Amino acid sequence: MGENVLFLLILLVCIVETEAQYKIFNVITYNASSNGNTDNSEAFLKAWSDACKWKGKSTILIPNGTYTLRGPCNSSINFRLEGLLKAPIDPKSFASDNWINFKYVNKLMVGGGGSLDAQGAYAWKMNDCQKNPNCRPLPTSMKFDYITNGYIHHMHSFNSKQSHFGLYRCNNMTLTKLQIKAPGDSPNTDGIKIGKSTGINITSVNIRTGNDCISMLSGLKNVQIMDVYCGPGHGINIGSLGKYEDEEDLADIIVKNCTFNGTSNGVRIKSYESQLNKTVVASNFIYEDIVMENVEYHIVIDQHYCSNSGECNLL
Ligand SMILES: *[C@@H]1O[C@H](CO)[C@@H](O)[C@H](O)[C@H]1NC(C)=O
Ligand SMILES: *[C@@H]1O[C@H](CO)[C@@H](O)[C@H](O)[C@H]1NC(C)=O
Ligand SMILES: *[C@@H]1O[C@H](CO)[C@@H](O)[C@H](O)[C@H]1NC(C)=O
Ligand SMILES: *[C@@H]1O[C@H](CO)[C@@H](O)[C@H](O)[C@H]1NC(C)=O
Ligand SMILES: *[C@@H]1O[C@H](CO)[C@@H](O)[C@H](O)[C@H]1NC(C)=O
Ligand SMILES: *[C@@H]1O[C@H](CO)[C@@H](O)[C@H](O)[C@H]1NC(C)=O
Ligand SMILES: *[C@@H]1O[C@H](CO)[C@@H](O)[C@H](O)[C@H]1NC(C)=O
Ligand SMILES: *[C@@H]1O[C@H](CO)[C@@H](O)[C@H](O)[C@H]1NC(C)=O
C-alpha cells in the first residue's frame, strides 16, 4: 500500500474568494501515510491549517488509501470538512475496513458542512455478503472507535461502500444535522451503525439508504434517537443479536419523533436463533411519536433472523 499515491482523489476544502493563487495541499507531503495503521492526525491538521491560512483557493488532497486519525490528543480536536472528500473507487486500495477512522480521542468535533463521497457504486457489485458469510467487509466511510465526548454535526455522506457512519466503544456522543444518502438498492449501506457504546444522541438526521437507517448492536446503553427521517431504507433496528460470543447486554433506547417513508421495516428487533452459551439481554426500549408512510412491516420482532442453515431474512 505504500506507494499508492499516484491516483489523486480530490477533495477540496477551505475556498477563499480572492485573486491569489490556487494551491494544493497534499497530505502526503505532510508525511501522512495511507497504510491504515499510522496516525495521521498531525499531517492532516498541518495541511488543514496551512490551507486555511492560504489566501487563494486551495485544495487539501488526500490520495488513494486509508487514513487513521488517532489520539490521545493533548487538547480537544475540531476537524472541519468544508468541501468534498472523495474516496478511492476500488475497495482493494483500502488497507482496513474503514475509510476515515478516528480513534482514542477525547473531545472530538467533526463537522463543517462538507461531504464524504465514497463512490460506492463500483464496490457494491463486488459485495457478496449475502452468499459468503466470511466476506471481507467493505470500508465504512467514517468510523469512530473509543471516542469520548464527541460532537459530529453538519455533514453529508453519499454512496458509502458499506456503512456511512460507524461508532464502536464510544461514550457521550452527539450526531446531529447529518444528511445520509445512497440508493435504496445499494447493498449493506447502513446509515449509522453503533455498538458497545453509551450515551449516544442522534438528532435531526436525514437518512435515505439501502440498508438499516440506524443499526444498534450489542453493548449499547442509553441511546436517544430523535427527529430522524428514514426512507428508503430498512428501518431503525436493534440487532442482529445472538450471534457472537462477545456480545454484551443492550438497554435504554429511546426512538422519538421519527418518520419512516418508503421503507421495508419501521422499527425492528432482530436476533438469531441463539447458538451461544450465554444469554444476552436486550431491554427497555421506548418508541414514541413515530410516523410511518408506505412501510412494508411497521413493527418487527424477529427471533429467527437467520436460520441455522445460515439463510437470513435480508429485508
Ligand atoms: C490505489 O492503489 C492501488 C495499489 O496501491 C491500486 O491498485 C489501485 O488501482 C488504486 N486505486 C485508485 C482508485 O487509484
Ligand atoms: C516529513 O518527514 C521528513 C523526514 O522525517 C521531515 O524532514 C519533514 O520535515 C517532514 N515534513 C513535515 C511537513 O512534517
Ligand atoms: C502532550 O503533551 C506532552 C507534555 O506537554 C508532550 O510530551 C506530548 O508529546 C504531547 N502529546 C502530543 C500527542 O502532542
Ligand atoms: C459530553 O460531550 C459534550 C461535547 O460534545 C460535552 O460538552 C459534555 O460536557 C460531555 N458530557 C459529559 C458528562 O462529559
Ligand atoms: C442526550 O439527550 C438527553 C435528553 O435530551 C440528555 O439528557 C443527554 O445528556 C444527551 N446526551 C448527550 C451525549 O448529549
Ligand atoms: C419532530 O421532527 C420534525 C421533523 O424531523 C421536526 O421538524 C419537529 O421539530 C420535531 N418535533 C419535536 C417535538 O421535536
Ligand atoms: C413520503 O414520501 C412521499 C413521496 O416522496 C411524499 O409525498 C410524502 O409527503 C412523504 N410523507 C411523509 C410523512 O414524509
Ligand atoms: C459451549 O459450552 C460447551 C460446554 O462448556 C462447549 O463444549 C462448547 O464448545 C461451547 N460452545 C461455544 C460455541 O463456545
Side-chain angles (χ1 to χ4, degrees):
M1 265 318 119
E3 297 305 313
N4 55 3
V5 200
L6 294 178
F7 249 74
L8 301 183
L9 304 174
I10 330 155
L11 99 96
L12 128 72
V13 187
C14 219
I15 297 171
V16 184
E17 298 286 323
T18 70
E19 309 294 309
Q21 243 183 324
Y22 171 69
K23 184 164 175 173
I24 293 174
F25 297 85
N26 186 335
V27 293
I28 298 296
T29 62
Y30 290 82
N31 294 341
S33 160
S34 63
N35 64 13
N37 297 316
T38 311
D39 173 25
N40 287 306
S41 312
E42 204 182 330
F44 272 60
L45 292 171
K46 268 192 197 153
W48 175 261
S49 154
D50 284 0
C52 281
K53 281 182 212 145
W54 186 249
K55 293 214 167 61
K57 286 192 178 180
S58 66
T59 290
I60 294 178
L61 190 61
I62 303 186
N64 196 347
T66 299
Y67 296 89
T68 298
L69 304 170
R70 193 191 309 263
C73 309
N74 277 348
S75 72
S76 60
I77 297 283
N78 185 357
F79 187 90
R80 280 180 67 85
L81 173 67
E82 296 184 353
L84 170 64
L85 190 51
K86 286 194 187 180
I89 287 173
D90 189 349
K92 291 199 187 76
S93 63
F94 289 78
S96 82
D97 299 342
N98 304 302
W99 171 24
I100 300 167
N101 190 188
F102 294 92
K103 282 183 163 176
Y104 306 108
V105 182
N106 180 19
K107 298 194 187 126
L108 174 69
M109 292 228 281
V110 178
S115 305
L116 301 172
D117 183 356
Q119 310 196 91
Y122 175 78
W124 298 332
K125 287 180 266 166
M126 300 160 87
N127 184 319
D128 65 347
C129 292
Q130 304 198 1
K131 283 173 261 155
N132 172 12
N134 301 316
C135 61
R136 178 169 169 194
L138 293 162
T140 294
S141 289
M142 188 170 267
K143 180 80 188 298
F144 300 92
D145 297 315
Y146 300 89
I147 306 298
T148 49
N149 305 320
Y151 193 76
I152 315 307
H153 65 111
H154 295 95
M155 279 200 298
H156 305 253
S157 171
F158 300 110
N159 299 327
S160 54
K161 290 179 166 58
Q162 195 150 329
S163 300
H164 294 263
F165 293 95
L167 273 65
Y168 178 75
R169 296 277 186 215
C170 291
N171 180 22
N172 183 30
M173 299 269 284
T174 297
L175 287 84
T176 186
K177 311 275 166 56
L178 305 177
Q179 300 281 337
I180 292 174
K181 205 166 173 196
D185 60 358
S186 54
N188 298 109
T189 50
D190 289 330
I192 302 173
K193 192 166 183 160
I194 338 168
K196 296 190 176 160
S197 295
T198 56
I200 308 295
N201 281 3
I202 300 175
T203 60
S204 307
V205 175
N206 193 314
I207 306 172
R208 299 153 195 272
T209 198
N211 208 316
D212 295 352
C213 288
I214 299 178
S215 164
M216 291 176 269
L217 302 174
S218 92
L220 277 189
K221 297 238 157 48
N222 192 7
V223 174
Q224 182 166 307
I225 296 172
M226 270 177 72
D227 304 343
V228 169
Y229 181 97
C230 170
H234 293 187
I236 293 184
N237 296 322
I238 291 172
S240 51
L241 302 171
K243 184 180 184 188
Y244 301 106
E245 288 294 336
D246 68 347
E247 288 184 16
E248 298 165 13
D249 291 350
L250 178 153
D252 307 331
I253 312 283
I254 301 176
V255 179
K256 204 170 161 180
N257 189 33
C258 291
T259 301
F260 298 81
N261 194 352
T263 59
S264 55
N265 302 285
V267 297
R268 176 164 63 156
I269 302 169
K270 52 186 175 176
S271 58
Y272 281 66
E273 280 179 83
S274 186
Q275 300 140 30
L276 300 182
N277 276 348
K278 65 177 197 180
T279 305
V280 177
V281 178
S283 62
N284 194 19
F285 312 135
I286 297 172
Y287 299 96
E288 213 174 88
D289 302 333
I290 305 292
V291 176
M292 298 205 194
E293 185 169 323
N294 186 21
V295 170
E296 218 171 325
Y297 303 103
H298 300 85
I299 300 171
V300 181
I301 299 176
D302 182 355
Q303 296 192 292
H304 293 261
Y305 176 62
C306 291
S307 70
N308 287 331
S309 59
E311 278 170 34
C312 299
N313 166 14
L314 290 167
L315 276 177

